[in-house]
Amino acid sequence: MDNVAFIKECQEKVFAGTHISSEDAEKLLNIPDENLKDLAKCANEITQDFNGKKIDVEQLNNIKKNACSEDCTFCGQSAFFDTGVDTYQLPSPEEVVSKAIKAKEEGAESYCLVAAWREPSTKDFEKVCNIIEQINQKVGISVECSLGFLTPIQATKLKELGVKRYNHNLETAKSKFAEICTTHTYEDRLKTLAIARKAGLELCTGGIIGLGETREQRLELTLELARLYPEEVTINILVPVPGTPLELQAELKNSEIVRMFAVIRFLLPESVIKISGGRETMLNDSGEELLQSGANGIITAGYLTMEGNEAEKDLKMIEKIGLQA
Ligand code: SF4
């Protein structure tokens, strides 16, 4: 069977509601460059069949910045590295509410509260719960959280507060993890995802590519994501941060990024697949190609430690390529 016929056969399986096998996923990820456009086109058709033309637009609020106790080598917020990133503690609920109102006015459907710590202390968790209550009362936007490791009690509390989705990334393949973080394990990350799922929270998980992992390791991460079947996958592309061990890391080729997004779509036809950090910096087109190769979500108006496109610019880009924000 030629490559195009194989891609089509996999697409037919997905349309028929059958999961493609890990062998199929491996073959798709290794499709020759000359067939990459066919792979991307079929992934896009799957996206539109399962999710239509709607793009999930999200904004983030980094509610606690920098001096994290963990040593993730890609992260500008780790206390282990001298990156010069500014530092602040939890802001007042009023401050977060006004930013959430602005995000909603700018077209964001979800608002994710992210904190740079290993896990929330009891006191900080209470403060975050208060912030969520205030957003619920005063804004009316879907609240998501990324607060590090959670206990079952904390996860249940977030669910009770109406938090829709919990973000906790796997970061990279299990076989690569010990190289990029020594202060916690891959299993720790899986445990928090299981706790969030058990509490009834939707899952958002993914990772960061371009850390020097091999294509096989990107497949490994992709298959683990498929096993977890999250409602949302979030993929960051490394932007090397001066002062971190990965500051000189070579850029990932664009074709590798397209391959990965496309194959994730074959494995997770119904999920939101979001292009996250690195979209504007590492892609020449701010993600236009990926939004037509399997992705159907973006983060707009900046990231945790990096600026991003203004929301208006991103909404125009979505409209320009015939999709809907
Ligand atoms: S990625 Fe998260 S856990 Fe790791 S150092 Fe950065 S803020 Fe801390």
Side-chain angles (χ1 to χ4, degrees), residues 44 47-48 51-58 107-110 265 272-275 279 287-288 290-292 294-299 314-315 317-319 321-325:
N44 189 39
T47 308
Q48 303 220 348
N51 301 284
K53 291 179 181 291
K54 184 89 181 79
I55 300 302
D56 186 298
V57 179
E58 179 181 24
E109 288 144 274
S110 53
R265 175 55 70 201
V272 173
I273 300 176
K274 197 163 276 175
I275 323 166
R279 179 171 63 87
E288 282 187 32
L290 291 181
L291 287 174
Q292 297 168 94
N296 66 335
I298 58 165
I299 289 168
D314 281 336
L315 297 186
M317 181 253 296
I318 290 168
E319 197 183 333
I321 55 177
L323 301 171
Q324 296 156 5

PDB file of all heavy atoms in Angstrom, residues 44 47-48 51-58 107-110 265 272-275 279 287-288 290-292 294-299 314-315 317-319 321-325:
ATOM      1  N   ASN A  44      -6.581  17.443   9.331  1.00  0.00           N
ATOM      2  CA  ASN A  44      -7.494  18.593   9.335  1.00  0.00           C
ATOM      3  C   ASN A  44      -8.930  18.136   9.064  1.00  0.00           C
ATOM      4  O   ASN A  44      -9.887  18.630   9.679  1.00  0.00           O
ATOM      5  CB  ASN A  44      -7.027  19.609   8.278  1.00  0.00           C
ATOM      6  CG  ASN A  44      -7.784  20.915   8.382  1.00  0.00           C
ATOM      7  OD1 ASN A  44      -8.069  21.383   9.483  1.00  0.00           O
ATOM      8  ND2 ASN A  44      -8.132  21.505   7.255  1.00  0.00           N
ATOM      9  N   THR A  47     -10.273  16.765  12.213  1.00  0.00           N
ATOM     10  CA  THR A  47     -10.613  17.866  13.133  1.00  0.00           C
ATOM     11  C   THR A  47     -11.978  18.434  12.781  1.00  0.00           C
ATOM     12  O   THR A  47     -12.845  18.603  13.650  1.00  0.00           O
ATOM     13  CB  THR A  47      -9.587  19.027  13.013  1.00  0.00           C
ATOM     14  OG1 THR A  47      -8.284  18.500  13.159  1.00  0.00           O
ATOM     15  CG2 THR A  47      -9.823  20.093  14.070  1.00  0.00           C
ATOM     16  N   GLN A  48     -12.173  18.728  11.506  1.00  0.00           N
ATOM     17  CA  GLN A  48     -13.414  19.404  11.106  1.00  0.00           C
ATOM     18  C   GLN A  48     -14.608  18.469  11.199  1.00  0.00           C
ATOM     19  O   GLN A  48     -15.712  18.896  11.533  1.00  0.00           O
ATOM     20  CB  GLN A  48     -13.243  19.989   9.701  1.00  0.00           C
ATOM     21  CG  GLN A  48     -12.051  20.949   9.673  1.00  0.00           C
ATOM     22  CD  GLN A  48     -12.251  22.205   8.859  1.00  0.00           C
ATOM     23  OE1 GLN A  48     -13.190  22.323   8.098  1.00  0.00           O
ATOM     24  NE2 GLN A  48     -11.350  23.151   9.016  1.00  0.00           N
ATOM     25  N   ASN A  51     -15.028  18.235  15.193  1.00  0.00           N
ATOM     26  CA  ASN A  51     -15.098  19.484  15.977  1.00  0.00           C
ATOM     27  C   ASN A  51     -15.565  20.701  15.185  1.00  0.00           C
ATOM     28  O   ASN A  51     -15.658  21.794  15.753  1.00  0.00           O
ATOM     29  CB  ASN A  51     -13.719  19.810  16.578  1.00  0.00           C
ATOM     30  CG  ASN A  51     -13.207  18.718  17.482  1.00  0.00           C
ATOM     31  OD1 ASN A  51     -13.659  18.583  18.605  1.00  0.00           O
ATOM     32  ND2 ASN A  51     -12.287  17.906  16.984  1.00  0.00           N
ATOM     33  N   GLY A  52     -15.804  20.547  13.902  1.00  0.00           N
ATOM     34  CA  GLY A  52     -16.196  21.692  13.087  1.00  0.00           C
ATOM     35  C   GLY A  52     -15.044  22.679  12.920  1.00  0.00           C
ATOM     36  O   GLY A  52     -13.875  22.315  13.057  1.00  0.00           O
ATOM     37  N   LYS A  53     -15.408  23.926  12.636  1.00  0.00           N
ATOM     38  CA  LYS A  53     -14.384  24.948  12.346  1.00  0.00           C
ATOM     39  C   LYS A  53     -14.035  25.779  13.569  1.00  0.00           C
ATOM     40  O   LYS A  53     -13.264  26.720  13.499  1.00  0.00           O
ATOM     41  CB  LYS A  53     -14.898  25.880  11.238  1.00  0.00           C
ATOM     42  CG  LYS A  53     -14.995  25.207   9.872  1.00  0.00           C
ATOM     43  CD  LYS A  53     -15.523  26.185   8.839  1.00  0.00           C
ATOM     44  CE  LYS A  53     -15.648  25.535   7.470  1.00  0.00           C
ATOM     45  NZ  LYS A  53     -14.372  25.213   6.844  1.00  0.00           N
ATOM     46  N   LYS A  54     -14.623  25.444  14.700  1.00  0.00           N
ATOM     47  CA  LYS A  54     -14.467  26.276  15.898  1.00  0.00           C
ATOM     48  C   LYS A  54     -13.069  26.114  16.514  1.00  0.00           C
ATOM     49  O   LYS A  54     -12.598  24.991  16.728  1.00  0.00           O
ATOM     50  CB  LYS A  54     -15.537  25.823  16.896  1.00  0.00           C
ATOM     51  CG  LYS A  54     -15.586  26.615  18.147  1.00  0.00           C
ATOM     52  CD  LYS A  54     -16.518  27.819  18.004  1.00  0.00           C
ATOM     53  CE  LYS A  54     -16.549  28.651  19.260  1.00  0.00           C
ATOM     54  NZ  LYS A  54     -15.424  29.525  19.424  1.00  0.00           N
ATOM     55  N   ILE A  55     -12.448  27.232  16.790  1.00  0.00           N
ATOM     56  CA  ILE A  55     -11.139  27.225  17.451  1.00  0.00           C
ATOM     57  C   ILE A  55     -11.321  27.618  18.916  1.00  0.00           C
ATOM     58  O   ILE A  55     -11.954  28.627  19.220  1.00  0.00           O
ATOM     59  CB  ILE A  55     -10.167  28.204  16.748  1.00  0.00           C
ATOM     60  CG1 ILE A  55      -9.967  27.801  15.272  1.00  0.00           C
ATOM     61  CG2 ILE A  55      -8.816  28.273  17.467  1.00  0.00           C
ATOM     62  CD1 ILE A  55      -9.430  26.398  15.065  1.00  0.00           C
ATOM     63  N   ASP A  56     -10.778  26.826  19.793  1.00  0.00           N
ATOM     64  CA  ASP A  56     -10.849  27.103  21.229  1.00  0.00           C
ATOM     65  C   ASP A  56      -9.774  28.160  21.572  1.00  0.00           C
ATOM     66  O   ASP A  56      -8.585  27.921  21.387  1.00  0.00           O
ATOM     67  CB  ASP A  56     -10.581  25.785  21.979  1.00  0.00           C
ATOM     68  CG  ASP A  56     -10.763  25.923  23.468  1.00  0.00           C
ATOM     69  OD1 ASP A  56     -10.024  26.717  24.096  1.00  0.00           O
ATOM     70  OD2 ASP A  56     -11.619  25.234  24.014  1.00  0.00           O
ATOM     71  N   VAL A  57     -10.246  29.306  22.017  1.00  0.00           N
ATOM     72  CA  VAL A  57      -9.311  30.410  22.325  1.00  0.00           C
ATOM     73  C   VAL A  57      -9.272  30.614  23.839  1.00  0.00           C
ATOM     74  O   VAL A  57     -10.304  30.839  24.466  1.00  0.00           O
ATOM     75  CB  VAL A  57      -9.742  31.722  21.622  1.00  0.00           C
ATOM     76  CG1 VAL A  57      -8.788  32.855  21.975  1.00  0.00           C
ATOM     77  CG2 VAL A  57      -9.801  31.524  20.108  1.00  0.00           C
ATOM     78  N   GLU A  58      -8.081  30.523  24.373  1.00  0.00           N
ATOM     79  CA  GLU A  58      -7.926  30.580  25.834  1.00  0.00           C
ATOM     80  C   GLU A  58      -6.927  31.674  26.212  1.00  0.00           C
ATOM     81  O   GLU A  58      -6.017  31.973  25.457  1.00  0.00           O
ATOM     82  CB  GLU A  58      -7.397  29.221  26.321  1.00  0.00           C
ATOM     83  CG  GLU A  58      -7.167  29.137  27.804  1.00  0.00           C
ATOM     84  CD  GLU A  58      -6.627  27.767  28.219  1.00  0.00           C
ATOM     85  OE1 GLU A  58      -6.022  27.071  27.384  1.00  0.00           O
ATOM     86  OE2 GLU A  58      -6.796  27.415  29.375  1.00  0.00           O
ATOM     87  N   GLY A 107     -12.665  37.863  23.662  1.00  0.00           N
ATOM     88  CA  GLY A 107     -13.100  36.666  22.934  1.00  0.00           C
ATOM     89  C   GLY A 107     -12.651  35.341  23.526  1.00  0.00           C
ATOM     90  O   GLY A 107     -12.889  34.285  22.923  1.00  0.00           O
ATOM     91  N   ALA A 108     -11.969  35.356  24.683  1.00  0.00           N
ATOM     92  CA  ALA A 108     -11.542  34.078  25.275  1.00  0.00           C
ATOM     93  C   ALA A 108     -12.749  33.361  25.876  1.00  0.00           C
ATOM     94  O   ALA A 108     -13.616  33.988  26.477  1.00  0.00           O
ATOM     95  CB  ALA A 108     -10.497  34.324  26.360  1.00  0.00           C
ATOM     96  N   GLU A 109     -12.792  32.038  25.672  1.00  0.00           N
ATOM     97  CA  GLU A 109     -13.885  31.257  26.263  1.00  0.00           C
ATOM     98  C   GLU A 109     -13.466  30.631  27.576  1.00  0.00           C
ATOM     99  O   GLU A 109     -14.293  30.233  28.376  1.00  0.00           O
ATOM    100  CB  GLU A 109     -14.289  30.134  25.324  1.00  0.00           C
ATOM    101  CG  GLU A 109     -15.026  30.590  24.122  1.00  0.00           C
ATOM    102  CD  GLU A 109     -14.636  29.728  22.947  1.00  0.00           C
ATOM    103  OE1 GLU A 109     -13.624  30.040  22.301  1.00  0.00           O
ATOM    104  OE2 GLU A 109     -15.313  28.732  22.736  1.00  0.00           O
ATOM    105  N   SER A 110     -12.170  30.479  27.749  1.00  0.00           N
ATOM    106  CA  SER A 110     -11.709  29.892  29.005  1.00  0.00           C
ATOM    107  C   SER A 110     -10.536  30.710  29.538  1.00  0.00           C
ATOM    108  O   SER A 110      -9.800  31.362  28.780  1.00  0.00           O
ATOM    109  CB  SER A 110     -11.330  28.425  28.819  1.00  0.00           C
ATOM    110  OG  SER A 110     -10.415  28.304  27.773  1.00  0.00           O
ATOM    111  N   ARG A 265      -3.930  14.253  16.365  1.00  0.00           N
ATOM    112  CA  ARG A 265      -5.337  14.350  15.919  1.00  0.00           C
ATOM    113  C   ARG A 265      -5.882  12.977  15.506  1.00  0.00           C
ATOM    114  O   ARG A 265      -7.023  12.636  15.818  1.00  0.00           O
ATOM    115  CB  ARG A 265      -5.448  15.352  14.759  1.00  0.00           C
ATOM    116  CG  ARG A 265      -6.831  15.436  14.140  1.00  0.00           C
ATOM    117  CD  ARG A 265      -7.908  15.741  15.185  1.00  0.00           C
ATOM    118  NE  ARG A 265      -7.810  17.100  15.677  1.00  0.00           N
ATOM    119  CZ  ARG A 265      -8.352  17.484  16.857  1.00  0.00           C
ATOM    120  NH1 ARG A 265      -8.996  16.612  17.625  1.00  0.00           N
ATOM    121  NH2 ARG A 265      -8.231  18.729  17.263  1.00  0.00           N
ATOM    122  N   VAL A 272      -9.690  18.840  22.150  1.00  0.00           N
ATOM    123  CA  VAL A 272      -9.096  20.117  21.750  1.00  0.00           C
ATOM    124  C   VAL A 272      -7.589  19.881  21.711  1.00  0.00           C
ATOM    125  O   VAL A 272      -7.023  19.331  22.660  1.00  0.00           O
ATOM    126  CB  VAL A 272      -9.421  21.223  22.776  1.00  0.00           C
ATOM    127  CG1 VAL A 272      -8.651  22.506  22.448  1.00  0.00           C
ATOM    128  CG2 VAL A 272     -10.924  21.495  22.819  1.00  0.00           C
ATOM    129  N   ILE A 273      -6.965  20.266  20.628  1.00  0.00           N
ATOM    130  CA  ILE A 273      -5.496  20.158  20.546  1.00  0.00           C
ATOM    131  C   ILE A 273      -4.967  21.583  20.388  1.00  0.00           C
ATOM    132  O   ILE A 273      -5.207  22.245  19.375  1.00  0.00           O
ATOM    133  CB  ILE A 273      -5.062  19.251  19.373  1.00  0.00           C
ATOM    134  CG1 ILE A 273      -5.658  17.838  19.574  1.00  0.00           C
ATOM    135  CG2 ILE A 273      -3.539  19.189  19.285  1.00  0.00           C
ATOM    136  CD1 ILE A 273      -5.375  16.873  18.436  1.00  0.00           C
ATOM    137  N   LYS A 274      -4.305  22.022  21.439  1.00  0.00           N
ATOM    138  CA  LYS A 274      -3.978  23.446  21.534  1.00  0.00           C
ATOM    139  C   LYS A 274      -2.490  23.708  21.277  1.00  0.00           C
ATOM    140  O   LYS A 274      -1.634  23.016  21.833  1.00  0.00           O
ATOM    141  CB  LYS A 274      -4.374  23.925  22.935  1.00  0.00           C
ATOM    142  CG  LYS A 274      -4.474  25.404  23.070  1.00  0.00           C
ATOM    143  CD  LYS A 274      -5.263  25.780  24.327  1.00  0.00           C
ATOM    144  CE  LYS A 274      -6.763  25.771  24.088  1.00  0.00           C
ATOM    145  NZ  LYS A 274      -7.555  26.018  25.281  1.00  0.00           N
ATOM    146  N   ILE A 275      -2.238  24.728  20.443  1.00  0.00           N
ATOM    147  CA  ILE A 275      -0.851  25.173  20.239  1.00  0.00           C
ATOM    148  C   ILE A 275      -0.583  26.173  21.356  1.00  0.00           C
ATOM    149  O   ILE A 275      -1.280  27.184  21.469  1.00  0.00           O
ATOM    150  CB  ILE A 275      -0.653  25.900  18.891  1.00  0.00           C
ATOM    151  CG1 ILE A 275      -1.499  25.274  17.784  1.00  0.00           C
ATOM    152  CG2 ILE A 275       0.821  25.906  18.510  1.00  0.00           C
ATOM    153  CD1 ILE A 275      -1.579  26.168  16.536  1.00  0.00           C
ATOM    154  N   ARG A 279       4.254  29.393  19.997  1.00  0.00           N
ATOM    155  CA  ARG A 279       3.499  29.525  18.727  1.00  0.00           C
ATOM    156  C   ARG A 279       3.995  30.728  17.910  1.00  0.00           C
ATOM    157  O   ARG A 279       4.312  30.595  16.733  1.00  0.00           O
ATOM    158  CB  ARG A 279       2.003  29.657  19.041  1.00  0.00           C
ATOM    159  CG  ARG A 279       1.117  29.831  17.816  1.00  0.00           C
ATOM    160  CD  ARG A 279      -0.356  29.737  18.189  1.00  0.00           C
ATOM    161  NE  ARG A 279      -0.786  30.781  19.105  1.00  0.00           N
ATOM    162  CZ  ARG A 279      -1.211  31.997  18.735  1.00  0.00           C
ATOM    163  NH1 ARG A 279      -1.274  32.306  17.461  1.00  0.00           N
ATOM    164  NH2 ARG A 279      -1.583  32.888  19.631  1.00  0.00           N
ATOM    165  N   GLY A 287       1.042  29.847  13.681  1.00  0.00           N
ATOM    166  CA  GLY A 287       0.208  28.654  13.894  1.00  0.00           C
ATOM    167  C   GLY A 287      -0.838  28.398  12.830  1.00  0.00           C
ATOM    168  O   GLY A 287      -1.610  27.445  12.940  1.00  0.00           O
ATOM    169  N   GLU A 288      -0.841  29.206  11.750  1.00  0.00           N
ATOM    170  CA  GLU A 288      -1.851  28.997  10.696  1.00  0.00           C
ATOM    171  C   GLU A 288      -1.796  27.574  10.144  1.00  0.00           C
ATOM    172  O   GLU A 288      -2.825  26.928   9.963  1.00  0.00           O
ATOM    173  CB  GLU A 288      -1.599  29.962   9.526  1.00  0.00           C
ATOM    174  CG  GLU A 288      -2.079  31.370   9.785  1.00  0.00           C
ATOM    175  CD  GLU A 288      -1.959  32.238   8.537  1.00  0.00           C
ATOM    176  OE1 GLU A 288      -2.105  31.720   7.402  1.00  0.00           O
ATOM    177  OE2 GLU A 288      -1.698  33.422   8.710  1.00  0.00           O
ATOM    178  N   LEU A 290      -0.552  24.839  11.521  1.00  0.00           N
ATOM    179  CA  LEU A 290      -0.951  23.814  12.508  1.00  0.00           C
ATOM    180  C   LEU A 290      -2.455  23.799  12.719  1.00  0.00           C
ATOM    181  O   LEU A 290      -3.042  22.751  12.970  1.00  0.00           O
ATOM    182  CB  LEU A 290      -0.236  24.050  13.844  1.00  0.00           C
ATOM    183  CG  LEU A 290       1.269  23.806  13.864  1.00  0.00           C
ATOM    184  CD1 LEU A 290       1.828  24.049  15.257  1.00  0.00           C
ATOM    185  CD2 LEU A 290       1.619  22.396  13.407  1.00  0.00           C
ATOM    186  N   LEU A 291      -3.093  24.981  12.616  1.00  0.00           N
ATOM    187  CA  LEU A 291      -4.555  25.023  12.764  1.00  0.00           C
ATOM    188  C   LEU A 291      -5.241  24.362  11.573  1.00  0.00           C
ATOM    189  O   LEU A 291      -6.444  24.153  11.594  1.00  0.00           O
ATOM    190  CB  LEU A 291      -5.046  26.467  12.932  1.00  0.00           C
ATOM    191  CG  LEU A 291      -4.740  27.101  14.301  1.00  0.00           C
ATOM    192  CD1 LEU A 291      -5.126  28.573  14.310  1.00  0.00           C
ATOM    193  CD2 LEU A 291      -5.452  26.367  15.440  1.00  0.00           C
ATOM    194  N   GLN A 292      -4.462  24.016  10.555  1.00  0.00           N
ATOM    195  CA  GLN A 292      -5.019  23.284   9.406  1.00  0.00           C
ATOM    196  C   GLN A 292      -4.352  21.911   9.284  1.00  0.00           C
ATOM    197  O   GLN A 292      -4.396  21.266   8.254  1.00  0.00           O
ATOM    198  CB  GLN A 292      -4.806  24.113   8.138  1.00  0.00           C
ATOM    199  CG  GLN A 292      -5.555  25.442   8.219  1.00  0.00           C
ATOM    200  CD  GLN A 292      -5.161  26.431   7.134  1.00  0.00           C
ATOM    201  OE1 GLN A 292      -5.801  26.508   6.096  1.00  0.00           O
ATOM    202  NE2 GLN A 292      -4.092  27.161   7.369  1.00  0.00           N
ATOM    203  N   GLY A 294      -4.486  19.669  12.251  1.00  0.00           N
ATOM    204  CA  GLY A 294      -4.886  18.878  13.421  1.00  0.00           C
ATOM    205  C   GLY A 294      -5.177  19.693  14.658  1.00  0.00           C
ATOM    206  O   GLY A 294      -5.977  19.298  15.502  1.00  0.00           O
ATOM    207  N   ALA A 295      -4.538  20.853  14.790  1.00  0.00           N
ATOM    208  CA  ALA A 295      -4.779  21.686  15.985  1.00  0.00           C
ATOM    209  C   ALA A 295      -6.109  22.410  15.865  1.00  0.00           C
ATOM    210  O   ALA A 295      -6.548  22.746  14.756  1.00  0.00           O
ATOM    211  CB  ALA A 295      -3.652  22.700  16.145  1.00  0.00           C
ATOM    212  N   ASN A 296      -6.753  22.652  16.995  1.00  0.00           N
ATOM    213  CA  ASN A 296      -7.991  23.457  16.987  1.00  0.00           C
ATOM    214  C   ASN A 296      -8.106  24.313  18.243  1.00  0.00           C
ATOM    215  O   ASN A 296      -9.203  24.552  18.741  1.00  0.00           O
ATOM    216  CB  ASN A 296      -9.231  22.580  16.810  1.00  0.00           C
ATOM    217  CG  ASN A 296      -9.467  21.654  17.985  1.00  0.00           C
ATOM    218  OD1 ASN A 296      -8.536  21.312  18.709  1.00  0.00           O
ATOM    219  ND2 ASN A 296     -10.704  21.249  18.181  1.00  0.00           N
ATOM    220  N   GLY A 297      -6.960  24.772  18.731  1.00  0.00           N
ATOM    221  CA  GLY A 297      -7.005  25.656  19.889  1.00  0.00           C
ATOM    222  C   GLY A 297      -5.728  26.474  19.963  1.00  0.00           C
ATOM    223  O   GLY A 297      -4.673  26.041  19.488  1.00  0.00           O
ATOM    224  N   ILE A 298      -5.853  27.649  20.531  1.00  0.00           N
ATOM    225  CA  ILE A 298      -4.665  28.486  20.763  1.00  0.00           C
ATOM    226  C   ILE A 298      -4.786  29.153  22.133  1.00  0.00           C
ATOM    227  O   ILE A 298      -5.884  29.309  22.664  1.00  0.00           O
ATOM    228  CB  ILE A 298      -4.474  29.601  19.699  1.00  0.00           C
ATOM    229  CG1 ILE A 298      -5.702  30.534  19.642  1.00  0.00           C
ATOM    230  CG2 ILE A 298      -4.137  29.052  18.345  1.00  0.00           C
ATOM    231  CD1 ILE A 298      -5.431  31.837  18.901  1.00  0.00           C
ATOM    232  N   ILE A 299      -3.629  29.551  22.635  1.00  0.00           N
ATOM    233  CA  ILE A 299      -3.591  30.464  23.775  1.00  0.00           C
ATOM    234  C   ILE A 299      -3.245  31.827  23.178  1.00  0.00           C
ATOM    235  O   ILE A 299      -2.349  31.920  22.322  1.00  0.00           O
ATOM    236  CB  ILE A 299      -2.540  30.008  24.799  1.00  0.00           C
ATOM    237  CG1 ILE A 299      -3.070  28.744  25.484  1.00  0.00           C
ATOM    238  CG2 ILE A 299      -2.238  31.106  25.814  1.00  0.00           C
ATOM    239  CD1 ILE A 299      -2.059  28.021  26.299  1.00  0.00           C
ATOM    240  N   ASP A 314      -4.859  37.514  16.694  1.00  0.00           N
ATOM    241  CA  ASP A 314      -5.119  36.074  16.568  1.00  0.00           C
ATOM    242  C   ASP A 314      -6.524  35.806  16.026  1.00  0.00           C
ATOM    243  O   ASP A 314      -6.727  34.895  15.220  1.00  0.00           O
ATOM    244  CB  ASP A 314      -4.945  35.393  17.931  1.00  0.00           C
ATOM    245  CG  ASP A 314      -3.472  35.155  18.260  1.00  0.00           C
ATOM    246  OD1 ASP A 314      -2.659  35.079  17.311  1.00  0.00           O
ATOM    247  OD2 ASP A 314      -3.132  35.057  19.442  1.00  0.00           O
ATOM    248  N   LEU A 315      -7.504  36.581  16.485  1.00  0.00           N
ATOM    249  CA  LEU A 315      -8.871  36.359  16.000  1.00  0.00           C
ATOM    250  C   LEU A 315      -8.945  36.629  14.496  1.00  0.00           C
ATOM    251  O   LEU A 315      -9.607  35.908  13.757  1.00  0.00           O
ATOM    252  CB  LEU A 315      -9.877  37.244  16.763  1.00  0.00           C
ATOM    253  CG  LEU A 315     -10.002  36.976  18.278  1.00  0.00           C
ATOM    254  CD1 LEU A 315     -11.116  37.800  18.876  1.00  0.00           C
ATOM    255  CD2 LEU A 315     -10.210  35.508  18.604  1.00  0.00           C
ATOM    256  N   MET A 317      -6.462  36.238  12.407  1.00  0.00           N
ATOM    257  CA  MET A 317      -5.765  35.141  11.738  1.00  0.00           C
ATOM    258  C   MET A 317      -6.714  33.935  11.597  1.00  0.00           C
ATOM    259  O   MET A 317      -6.779  33.311  10.542  1.00  0.00           O
ATOM    260  CB  MET A 317      -4.533  34.758  12.582  1.00  0.00           C
ATOM    261  CG  MET A 317      -3.692  33.652  12.025  1.00  0.00           C
ATOM    262  SD  MET A 317      -3.804  32.071  12.865  1.00  0.00           S
ATOM    263  CE  MET A 317      -3.180  32.368  14.478  1.00  0.00           C
ATOM    264  N   ILE A 318      -7.483  33.667  12.644  1.00  0.00           N
ATOM    265  CA  ILE A 318      -8.414  32.535  12.608  1.00  0.00           C
ATOM    266  C   ILE A 318      -9.464  32.752  11.509  1.00  0.00           C
ATOM    267  O   ILE A 318      -9.765  31.851  10.722  1.00  0.00           O
ATOM    268  CB  ILE A 318      -9.077  32.358  14.004  1.00  0.00           C
ATOM    269  CG1 ILE A 318      -8.027  31.840  14.990  1.00  0.00           C
ATOM    270  CG2 ILE A 318     -10.283  31.433  13.940  1.00  0.00           C
ATOM    271  CD1 ILE A 318      -8.462  31.894  16.448  1.00  0.00           C
ATOM    272  N   GLU A 319      -9.954  33.975  11.443  1.00  0.00           N
ATOM    273  CA  GLU A 319     -10.974  34.296  10.428  1.00  0.00           C
ATOM    274  C   GLU A 319     -10.383  34.187   9.017  1.00  0.00           C
ATOM    275  O   GLU A 319     -11.001  33.654   8.114  1.00  0.00           O
ATOM    276  CB  GLU A 319     -11.465  35.725  10.699  1.00  0.00           C
ATOM    277  CG  GLU A 319     -12.777  36.042   9.998  1.00  0.00           C
ATOM    278  CD  GLU A 319     -13.180  37.493  10.233  1.00  0.00           C
ATOM    279  OE1 GLU A 319     -12.775  38.053  11.282  1.00  0.00           O
ATOM    280  OE2 GLU A 319     -13.843  38.052   9.384  1.00  0.00           O
ATOM    281  N   ILE A 321      -8.165  32.282   7.825  1.00  0.00           N
ATOM    282  CA  ILE A 321      -8.008  30.927   7.276  1.00  0.00           C
ATOM    283  C   ILE A 321      -9.333  30.152   7.279  1.00  0.00           C
ATOM    284  O   ILE A 321      -9.352  28.931   7.158  1.00  0.00           O
ATOM    285  CB  ILE A 321      -6.887  30.132   8.008  1.00  0.00           C
ATOM    286  CG1 ILE A 321      -7.123  30.085   9.519  1.00  0.00           C
ATOM    287  CG2 ILE A 321      -5.533  30.708   7.687  1.00  0.00           C
ATOM    288  CD1 ILE A 321      -6.073  29.258  10.269  1.00  0.00           C
ATOM    289  N   GLY A 322     -10.439  30.901   7.428  1.00  0.00           N
ATOM    290  CA  GLY A 322     -11.756  30.281   7.256  1.00  0.00           C
ATOM    291  C   GLY A 322     -12.240  29.521   8.469  1.00  0.00           C
ATOM    292  O   GLY A 322     -13.162  28.693   8.378  1.00  0.00           O
ATOM    293  N   LEU A 323     -11.635  29.780   9.635  1.00  0.00           N
ATOM    294  CA  LEU A 323     -12.081  29.104  10.865  1.00  0.00           C
ATOM    295  C   LEU A 323     -12.803  30.108  11.755  1.00  0.00           C
ATOM    296  O   LEU A 323     -12.848  31.301  11.437  1.00  0.00           O
ATOM    297  CB  LEU A 323     -10.864  28.479  11.573  1.00  0.00           C
ATOM    298  CG  LEU A 323     -10.111  27.463  10.719  1.00  0.00           C
ATOM    299  CD1 LEU A 323      -8.810  27.029  11.364  1.00  0.00           C
ATOM    300  CD2 LEU A 323     -10.990  26.232  10.433  1.00  0.00           C
ATOM    301  N   GLN A 324     -13.360  29.608  12.850  1.00  0.00           N
ATOM    302  CA  GLN A 324     -14.155  30.504  13.697  1.00  0.00           C
ATOM    303  C   GLN A 324     -13.615  30.535  15.116  1.00  0.00           C
ATOM    304  O   GLN A 324     -13.328  29.478  15.689  1.00  0.00           O
ATOM    305  CB  GLN A 324     -15.616  30.001  13.764  1.00  0.00           C
ATOM    306  CG  GLN A 324     -16.313  30.035  12.436  1.00  0.00           C
ATOM    307  CD  GLN A 324     -17.463  29.040  12.370  1.00  0.00           C
ATOM    308  OE1 GLN A 324     -17.806  28.388  13.362  1.00  0.00           O
ATOM    309  NE2 GLN A 324     -18.027  28.904  11.199  1.00  0.00           N
ATOM    310  N   ALA A 325     -13.536  31.738  15.664  1.00  0.00           N
ATOM    311  CA  ALA A 325     -13.074  31.865  17.056  1.00  0.00           C
ATOM    312  C   ALA A 325     -14.260  31.723  17.993  1.00  0.00           C
ATOM    313  O   ALA A 325     -15.393  31.862  17.594  1.00  0.00           O
ATOM    314  CB  ALA A 325     -12.409  33.196  17.261  1.00  0.00           C
TER     315      ALA A 325
END
